[in-house]
Amino acid sequence: MRLNKLREKQVVNVLDGRALGYISDIVLDPATGCIISIVVPGHTGLKCLLRSRSYVISWKSICKIGDDVILVEIDSSVCLSLIHISEPTRPEPIS
């Protein structure tokens, strides 16, 4: 299956039924070329204006890949995540 087809499928956690989002990236094993994990961006409320959280989900945590959905079994509070902090925008000076 091609990455562009995986990106079209919504990722859903079967433990709490929560839709996590869509795959934004994958992590490959450089030796084998096999997928190690998928990366799904998520946002945390109002803080999403300055930071977003991307969940890194192990390929072994995927239960089923369906036509429209990828079912995963993860504890999202324990799931390894990467925090990306974007630069805050500065207001234009008043002349």
Side-chain angles (χ1 to χ4, degrees), residues 12-75:
V12 176
N13 188 357
V14 296
L15 293 181
D16 59 10
R18 193 172 65 142
L20 301 176
Y22 294 87
I23 295 175
S24 64
D25 206 355
I26 58 172
V27 179
L28 298 174
D29 180 339
T32 64
C34 294
I35 298 174
I36 298 172
S37 56
I38 59 175
V39 180
V40 179
H43 302 290
T44 55
L46 294 176
K47 292 181 183 178
C48 72
L49 296 174
L50 295 177
R51 55 174 41 183
S52 64
R53 181 176 303 247
S54 295
Y55 295 102
V56 180
I57 302 168
S58 167
W59 187 256
K60 295 177 183 177
S61 297
I62 296 176
C63 301
K64 180 78 172 169
I65 299 177
D67 292 336
D68 300 320
V69 176
I70 298 173
L71 299 176
V72 297
E73 187 174 342
I74 61 165
D75 180 356

